[in-house]
Amino acid sequence: MARRAALVLAAALLASSALTGCSTQGPAAGPSSGAGAGRGGTITLGFSQVGAESGWRTANTKSVQEAAKKAGIDLKFSDAQQKQENQIKALRTFIQQKVDVIAFSPVVESGWDTVLKEAKDAGIPVILTDRAVDTKDTSLYKTFLGSDFVKEGRSAGEWLTGAYANEPGPVNIVELQGTTGSAPANDRKAGFAEAIRGDGKFKIVASQSGDFTRAKGKEVMQAFLKSQKDIDVLYAHNDDMALGAIQAIEESGKKPGTDIKVISVDGIKDAFVAMTEGKINVVVECNPLLGDQLMELAKKVVAGENVPPRVETEEGVFPQDKAAAALPSRKY
Ligand code: GYE
């Protein structure tokens, strides 16, 4: 009935040529019908974003918004300002609104089972983008789209062991972690630790969260510079924290990239600029441009098609001497 009503309504609107760019989405379907799936109507995607904490995140948001427009998907976008409670609220609102599919980038890894179960019970498929959740029940989401953060951490560590291969130790490292409990912070820490573990000369002398922001990165680096006499290397879990820390290093009278080597993750343009200025030594890329792939996956899960459980993005490692050549083609 609902489907017929929607078709009749759409036909009437078309006939009266009153349709000026609005979607012909029919009434929301019942919980188990897969919503807009079979009706050929516009797909509504509820997307809960982490926040706007970094250049990476801004690029990711833009990519999702532009891709939705291009794909003709009705995007309901919600910004959680880095708070899990806001994300849970947003997900519940999407469920109430009976969106066709939910995608979200979970701020932290744990604590999602209840709300994901609610989505599942309502028959709304969920796609994890960018960050993973920690759950035993993988039926609570359809797929994960994003990066291998452990690999990124490992690449950062491997660059370091290579760069110091012929140097005697100790190599004192300070680490700026991302948001506490988030997948990229947990995994980038683990991958890096794994890569340097084999050689006792590498020592992480201080490690603290800078919440993925420039302001916190600077603040925590200032504290590190006060508490640690001898810092050889900064490993920052993202570019924004590295860029904040660079300011702190400069204000302390030291040269970032020379006196203190800087390793970072993401690959935003500002970091490439800092590399060309000699202030960052290496950036491990993490691609935020997930929009098109997300829309493809959204269409497939709404249509009830099978999707792979994990879709990973391709990324590279950029040492300083490659920065100038790569800068003009950076897309974020
Ligand atoms: O590295 C950081 C952002 O989840 C991969 O979140 C993302 C991370 C990214 O705030 O800049």
Side-chain angles (χ1 to χ4, degrees), residues 182-199:
S182 70
N186 292 342
D187 294 354
R188 287 173 186 165
K189 183 171 183 41
F192 183 80
E194 183 196 307
I196 62 169
R197 195 162 35 219
D199 190 336

Side-chain angles (χ1 to χ4, degrees), residues 18-245:
L19 198 65
T20 49
C22 357
S23 74
T24 54
Q25 194 190 1
S32 59
S33 71
R39 299 184 322 222
T42 305
I43 292 173
T44 302
L45 164 66
F47 183 81
S48 167
Q49 181 59 291
V50 169
E53 73 282 2
S54 65
W56 189 101
R57 189 64 55 196
T58 317
N60 180 248
T61 292
K62 197 164 159 247
S63 168
V64 169
Q65 287 171 335
E66 286 176 359
K69 213 181 234 171
K70 208 164 72 187
I73 286 180
D74 178 15
L75 178 69
K76 293 192 186 303
F77 182 90
S78 175
D79 177 336
Q81 298 178 322
Q82 298 240 74
K83 292 205 177 76
Q84 182 172 31
E85 61 195 86
N86 292 346
Q87 276 197 304
I88 291 174
K89 258 189 223 151
L91 299 188
R92 292 206 164 117
T93 304
F94 294 149
I95 295 169
Q96 268 162 22
Q97 292 172 333
K98 298 188 165 66
V99 299
D100 298 310
V101 49
I102 290 173
F104 81 118
S105 178
V107 57
V108 290
E109 285 194 275
S110 56
W112 299 102
D113 281 42
T114 307
V115 70
L116 288 179
K117 180 97 191 352
E118 289 166 20
K120 190 179 173 189
D121 290 345
I124 303 175
V126 173
I127 300 173
L128 303 177
T129 72
D130 154 41
R131 296 185 183 181
V133 298
D134 185 7
T135 177
K136 286 196 183 73
D137 184 359
T138 50
S139 78
L140 294 177
Y141 57 89
K142 294 286 178 198
T143 182
F144 164 87
L145 166 65
S147 307
D148 183 340
F149 300 136
V150 176
K151 186 169 152 208
E152 290 170 355
R154 220 183 275 133
S155 300
E158 281 164 3
W159 178 86
L160 184 65
T161 54
Y164 280 84
N166 301 317
E167 309 263 338
V171 181
N172 293 331
I173 305 159
V174 294
E175 179 180 32
L176 277 170
Q177 297 177 37
T179 301
T180 305
S182 70
N186 292 342
D187 294 354
R188 287 173 186 165
K189 183 171 183 41
F192 183 80
E194 183 196 307
I196 62 169
R197 195 162 35 219
D199 190 336
K201 76 181 175 194
F202 296 104
K203 295 188 189 329
I204 300 180
V205 293
S207 180
Q208 207 179 304
S209 172
D211 213 11
F212 281 131
T213 67
R214 285 190 200 206
K216 273 280 184 70
K218 180 172 181 184
E219 195 184 303
V220 176
M221 190 68 202
Q222 280 169 336
F224 285 164
L225 286 160
K226 278 199 192 119
S227 65
Q228 305 295 326
K229 290 201 302 302
D230 210 0
I231 301 173
D232 300 303
V233 176
L234 162 67
Y235 168 44
H237 289 187
N238 83 340
D239 290 339
D240 288 82
M241 293 190 295
L243 293 163

